[in-house]
């Protein structure tokens, strides 16, 4: 497996993102060693908030939330998934599977020795992060789901996702920064768009970002559909506090908050909220408000 590593020079002058990364190496079950980057900020004694991003973003997406949560006394950990941000990037789309992503981040999670965690997950951060919750429920104190889902292939993905999947697999140049912009309500600055493009100095660095939509279990026979069903069995018994903070302007995950509230017992009597003015990447649109609601929820 050829593994690419984005030069650090690509990450110069990132707006509102001065935190330095922490790097951990993991070795997967096939013997591949990968370096995974994370932002780790705030008080070591504060409540631990794990921020998991989706596709095609990276931990830069969480800069507004990180700053607010750290000011509120939290310890914040925001990893870059393999193939994204400052983490290593296998070069072939065939190198990426849903199962491998879960294994890679599971090994990183264990190596990071995180416990008593409050997970905030969006997009693929939920597809991977909720599998971590199911695998290590004793390590999680709370969960916040925002514009995400854990599909088992039993429901149609919907026309918005189908169009996104078709685009991602056929467009000659995968325009990462513009994809973020199109799924965000506010107008990003040129520097912010460039920051989302920064991890990918060449098209071959984008294999992970491009293939992700094709890995979503949208049919019952998807190889990861059974694993997600097994995860739901655990989550349907998860009694710890669980909050939904979905946005009002995301056509892909709209209504997913109601599914979590129906199936997860920990969602009972929690201060769920629909974030007004948020697109799919609601961290860009209402990130400070998201952090404020999490801080209030943590007490």
């Amino acid at each position: 497996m050829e593994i690419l590593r984005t030069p650090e020079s690509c990450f110069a002058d990132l707006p509102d993102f001065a935190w330095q990364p922490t790097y951990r190496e993991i070795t997967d079950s096939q013997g591949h060693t990968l370096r995974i980057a994370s932002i780790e900020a705030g008080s070591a004694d504060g409540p631990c908030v794990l921020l998991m991003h989706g596709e095609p973003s990276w931990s830069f997406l969480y800069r507004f939330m990180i700053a607010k949560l750290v000011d509120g006394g939290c310890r914040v950990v925001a990893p870059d998934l393999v193939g994204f941000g400052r983490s290593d990037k296998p070069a072939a789309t065939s190198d990426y599977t849903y199962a491998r992503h879960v294994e890679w981040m599971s090994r990183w999670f264990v190596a990071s020795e995180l416990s008593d965690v409050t997970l905030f997950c969006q997009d693929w951060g939920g597809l991977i992060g909720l599998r971590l919750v199911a695998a290590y429920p004793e390590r999680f104190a709370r969960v916040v789901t925002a514009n995400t889902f854990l599909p088992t292939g039993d429901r149609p993905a919907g026309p918005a996702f189908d169009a996104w999947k078709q685009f991602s697999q056929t467009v000659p140049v995968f325009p990462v920064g513009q994809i973020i912009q199109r799924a965000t309500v506010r107008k990003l600055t040129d520097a912010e768009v460039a920051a989302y493009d920064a991890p990918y100095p060449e098209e071959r660095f984008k294999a992970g970002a491009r293939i992700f939509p094709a890995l979503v279990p949208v049919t019952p026979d998807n190889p990861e559909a059974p694993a997600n069903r097994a995860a739901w069995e655990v989550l349907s018994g998860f009694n710890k506090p669980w909050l939904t903070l979905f946005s009002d302007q995301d056509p892909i995950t709209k209504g997913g908050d109601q599914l979590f509230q129906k199936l997860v017992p920990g969602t009972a009597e929690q201060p769920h909220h629909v974030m007004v003015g948020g697109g799919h990447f609601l961290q860009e649109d209402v990130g400070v408000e998201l952090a404020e609601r999490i801080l209030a929820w943590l007490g």
Side-chain angles (χ1 to χ4, degrees):
M1 184 166 70
E2 181 187 4
I3 297 174
L4 306 176
R5 182 170 294 174
T6 304
E8 186 59 33
S9 59
C10 292
F11 300 100
D13 303 320
L14 297 170
D16 303 309
F17 198 75
W19 299 283
Q20 294 303 304
T22 296
Y23 293 108
R24 290 183 178 84
E25 286 193 344
I26 61 99
T27 301
D28 66 17
S29 58
Q30 295 182 321
H32 302 121
T33 298
L34 294 155
R35 191 179 76 167
I36 296 178
S38 60
I39 299 302
E40 302 185 11
S43 171
D45 299 326
C48 179
V49 181
L50 173 61
L51 306 174
M52 295 196 68
H53 73 85
E55 179 240 0
S57 63
W58 59 293
S59 56
F60 177 78
L61 176 69
Y62 281 108
R63 63 199 181 282
F64 303 130
M65 293 182 67
I66 293 171
K68 190 68 178 181
L69 290 168
V70 168
D71 285 347
C74 293
R75 176 193 178 196
V76 179
V77 181
D80 293 335
L81 299 178
V82 172
F84 298 82
R86 288 183 168 101
S87 291
D88 282 350
K89 301 170 181 67
T93 55
S94 59
D95 294 330
Y96 296 88
T97 67
Y98 190 169
R100 275 186 171 177
H101 272 293
V102 172
E103 181 193 357
W104 290 332
M105 296 314 295
S106 294
R107 289 179 183 251
W108 170 86
F109 182 71
V110 171
S112 300
E113 299 182 336
L114 301 179
S115 61
D116 201 28
V117 173
T118 294
L119 171 66
F120 180 97
C121 55
Q122 180 260 345
D123 192 85
W124 264 92
L127 275 77
I128 297 170
L130 296 179
R131 290 278 293 272
L132 298 185
V133 176
Y136 309 101
E138 71 284 354
R139 295 192 178 208
F140 289 87
R142 297 175 181 83
V143 175
V144 186
T145 40
N147 291 2
T148 191
F149 55 121
L150 187 64
T152 58
D154 301 314
R155 297 181 178 85
F161 177 81
D162 290 341
W164 159 236
K165 179 180 176 181
Q166 174 70 13
F167 172 84
S168 69
Q169 304 308 298
T170 58
V171 66
V173 176
F174 194 69
V176 173
Q178 288 304 315
I179 289 170
I180 302 293
Q181 177 62 93
R182 291 169 191 167
T184 302
V185 173
R186 77 175 183 89
K187 174 67 175 176
L188 302 180
T189 67
D190 290 345
E192 289 172 328
V193 173
Y196 284 113
D197 288 325
Y200 313 107
E202 300 174 26
E203 199 67 19
R204 66 193 186 117
F205 283 71
K206 301 176 184 177
R210 182 185 285 274
I211 198 60
F212 248 158
L215 303 182
V216 177
V218 294
T219 58
D221 59 350
N222 182 282
E224 286 305 292
N228 278 7
R229 293 189 193 100
W232 269 115
E233 291 183 9
V234 177
L235 301 180
S236 64
F238 194 88
N239 290 297
K240 300 172 189 177
W242 187 304
L243 184 65
T244 61
L245 294 174
F246 280 55
S247 67
D248 65 338
Q249 297 184 45
D250 180 18
I252 292 179
T253 65
K254 185 175 182 180
D257 51 346
Q258 298 171 26
L259 182 64
F260 285 115
Q261 292 170 29
K262 176 182 178 181
L263 297 178
V264 181
T267 61
E269 300 181 2
Q270 300 299 325
H272 307 296
H273 187 74
V274 175
M275 308 298 295
V276 176
H280 179 65
F281 296 105
L282 71 172
Q283 301 95 320
E284 281 288 354
D285 295 316
V286 292
V288 172
E289 184 184 351
L290 285 168
E292 289 174 344
R293 289 186 176 276
I294 292 170
L295 288 169
W297 190 51
L298 292 173

